[in-house]
């Protein structure tokens, strides 16, 4: 069940080489991405001639040449050259996906190209804002993306999965988040007063006494988390950049297939609070923690697969993820009710 009329991150901008091709599968569709005309192009990664992957060919200026028999395609997917032939038939083309780049993320629109709307791109500002600093990350999961959405919508797991990294206190699981509806998603706010600073805070600044922590994030379609979080000395009313930790994180999940997922993430600190060692320390803490998540969710997925008939037990802590799954189901149902719904093999050919 995937929402199609939606922007999905296919790559960080730095992952798309200047003079070569990047192959990545999104929603089960193989796509080749390359730089063209000052921006990006995203084409079906399957030559219309004998169906070889275009990503095994090469980039030539703003076009891509198939590595098998040399057909050349422009950024719109039109074949513009067939070696040994004076004529290019009009059906010689591959699907081109609408593509956009914003705040260092490269997005593809997987639905009806006529509905691609750049106003729907998320405001992942800390990815490249001069006031914030981060090292961007990528992980691949061999699990369905909704299990990872579930994880990101319930931070009670920080107390257990991340006890030695991002968590550090069982009070996180005891705190009740508030959940508010927003456009295309939910806002989740969790405040955790008077707890020990988590282990990774000490990479940023030492805390001798307890801190008040907060996590406030928007979680929006298709699976994008935009979060302000931090910690301040517990005895102090307001956070002060001089003695508090202020973080902003942007994370997004892109289904690769029904059972595998791309995960693009970064957690930024204020540029004036810490040097490159701090940036690197936060990144290493995050990678360690996200491997903890991946280990748990992968094991959960294996357990589900081993007993597909076993029922889950809904609890209060599942509220945000249950609501988000329902929102997504409703959006997918609305989309499927639209006339001329584009399918994987149609549209723009
Ligand atoms: S398969 Fe691409 S040119 Fe023949
Ligand atoms: Fe986690």
């Amino acid at each position: 069940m995937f929402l199609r009329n939606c922007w999905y991150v296919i790559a960080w901008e730095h992952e798309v080489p200047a003079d070569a091709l990047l192959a990545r599968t999104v929603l089960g569709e193989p796509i080749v991405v390359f730089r063209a005309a000052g921006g990006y192009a995203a084409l079906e990664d399957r030559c219309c001639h004998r169906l070889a992957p275009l990503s095994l060919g090469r980039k030539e200026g703003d076009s891509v040449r198939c590595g098998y028999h040399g057909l050349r395609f422009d950024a719109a997917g039109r074949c513009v050259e067939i070696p040994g032939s004076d004529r290019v038939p009009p059906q010689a083309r591959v699907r081109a996906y609408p593509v956009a780049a914003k705040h260092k993320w490269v997005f593809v629109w997987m639905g009806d190209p006529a509905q691609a709307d750049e106003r729907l791109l998320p405001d992942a500002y800390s990815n490249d804002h001069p006031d914030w600093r981060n090292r961007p990350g990528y992980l691949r999961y061999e699990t369905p993306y909704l299990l990872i959405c579930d994880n990101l919508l319930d931070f009670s797991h920080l107390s257990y999965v991340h006890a030695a990294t991002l968590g550090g206190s069982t009070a996180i699981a005891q705190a009740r988040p508030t959940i508010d509806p927003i456009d295309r998603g939910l806002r989740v706010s969790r405040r955790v007063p008077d707890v020990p600073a988590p282990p990774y805070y000490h990479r940023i600044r030492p805390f001798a006494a307890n801190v008040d922590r907060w996590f406030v994030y928007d979680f929006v379609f298709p699976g994008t988390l935009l979060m302000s979080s931090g910690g301040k000395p517990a005895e102090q009313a307001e956070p002060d950049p001089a003695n508090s930790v202020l973080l902003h994180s942007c994370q997004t999940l892109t289904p690769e297939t029904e059972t595998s997922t791309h995960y693009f993430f970064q957690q930024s600190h204020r540029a004036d609070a810490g040097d490159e060692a701090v940036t690197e320390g936060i990144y290493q803490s995050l990678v360690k923690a996200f491997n903890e998540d991946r280990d748990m969710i992968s094991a959960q997925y294996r357990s589900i697969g081993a007993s597909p008939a076993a029922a889950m037990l809904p609890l209060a802590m599942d509220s945000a993820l249950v609501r988000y799954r329902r929102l997504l189901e409703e959006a997918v149902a609305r989309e499927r009710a639209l006339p001329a719904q584009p399918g994987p093999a149609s549209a723009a050919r």
Side-chain angles (χ1 to χ4, degrees):
M1 181 195 74
F2 296 136
L3 194 61
R4 302 202 63 86
N5 285 327
C6 191
W7 294 106
Y8 287 88
V9 174
I10 190 167
W12 286 101
E13 287 198 82
H14 69 260
E15 294 181 292
V16 186
D19 298 311
L21 307 166
L22 175 71
R24 210 159 251 171
T25 294
V26 174
L27 311 193
E29 299 178 22
I31 296 175
V32 57
V33 186
F34 56 99
R35 293 176 187 262
Y40 297 88
L43 303 181
E44 173 183 8
D45 191 11
R46 193 185 300 110
C47 180
C48 59
H49 176 221
R50 305 295 293 170
L51 311 184
L54 287 177
S55 55
L56 294 182
R58 61 174 183 255
K59 177 169 157 27
E60 291 188 10
D62 288 346
S63 65
V64 54
R65 188 180 294 279
C66 180
Y68 202 168
H69 313 98
L71 267 65
R72 190 164 65 86
F73 299 87
D74 69 11
R78 283 183 299 258
C79 180
V80 290
E81 185 189 338
I82 299 178
S85 171
D86 295 335
R87 204 186 133 265
V88 177
Q91 68 273 28
R93 58 182 306 142
V94 296
R95 178 178 176 182
Y97 295 81
V99 58
K102 187 176 176 188
H103 297 312
K104 292 194 174 178
W105 279 344
V106 182
F107 299 81
V108 286
W109 179 268
M110 298 303 291
D112 177 3
Q115 296 190 48
D117 182 350
E118 296 201 4
R119 289 171 302 181
L120 296 176
L121 293 168
D123 186 15
Y125 66 87
S126 64
N127 284 354
D128 60 356
H129 194 287
D131 290 349
W132 295 90
R133 193 150 59 203
N134 66 73
R135 178 175 166 191
Y138 168 84
L139 273 180
R140 186 173 167 278
Y141 268 74
E142 299 260 0
T143 73
Y145 99 115
L146 281 175
L147 288 180
I148 316 168
C149 292
D150 292 348
N151 169 278
L152 292 174
L153 281 159
D154 177 12
F155 274 19
S156 67
H157 80 271
L158 264 70
S159 293
Y160 300 98
V161 177
H162 306 310
T165 50
L166 308 181
S169 167
T170 54
I172 300 172
Q174 278 147 15
R176 294 262 181 93
T178 58
I179 302 159
D180 297 299
I182 56 171
D183 190 29
R184 295 165 67 84
L186 297 171
R187 176 164 299 157
V188 182
S189 311
R190 186 185 292 257
R191 294 179 195 280
V192 191
D194 202 12
V195 286
Y200 85 112
Y201 270 22
H202 298 292
R203 291 182 186 265
I204 306 168
R205 63 171 74 250
F207 282 97
N210 276 1
V211 296
D212 294 337
R213 297 181 69 184
W214 65 92
F215 307 87
V216 178
Y217 57 95
D218 290 353
F219 197 84
V220 293
F221 296 159
T224 299
L225 176 144
L226 306 166
M227 175 169 72
S228 292
S229 67
K232 66 171 181 62
E235 72 277 5
Q236 190 173 295
E238 293 298 326
D240 176 349
N243 65 9
S244 304
V245 167
L246 302 174
L247 302 168
H248 192 268
S249 184
C250 301
Q251 307 174 23
T252 192
L253 299 164
T254 296
E256 179 185 59
T257 66
E258 295 278 353
T259 57
S260 59
T261 305
H262 305 291
Y263 188 16
F264 305 91
F265 60 85
Q266 61 85 2
Q267 173 134 279
S268 300
H269 62 90
R270 300 288 303 176
D272 55 7
D275 54 12
E276 278 171 30
V278 167
T279 311
E280 182 63 20
I282 291 175
Y283 171 79
Q284 294 300 343
S285 297
L286 214 59
V287 168
K288 189 170 177 202
F290 289 175
N291 276 301
E292 293 170 338
D293 283 316
R294 187 168 59 177
D295 288 349
M296 179 58 79
I297 297 167
S298 301
Q300 176 198 22
Y301 183 49
R302 286 192 297 275
S303 176
I304 292 169
S307 309
M312 295 187 182
L313 173 67
L315 293 173
M317 69 176 80
D318 307 325
S319 174
L321 62 95
V322 168
R323 284 174 67 173
Y324 183 75
R325 280 179 176 245
R326 195 179 310 133
L327 282 177
L328 194 61
E329 273 169 30
E330 288 166 359
V332 170
R334 279 197 302 276
E335 191 176 87
R336 289 187 176 166
L338 292 173
Q341 173 58 29
S346 69
R349 285 202 77 149

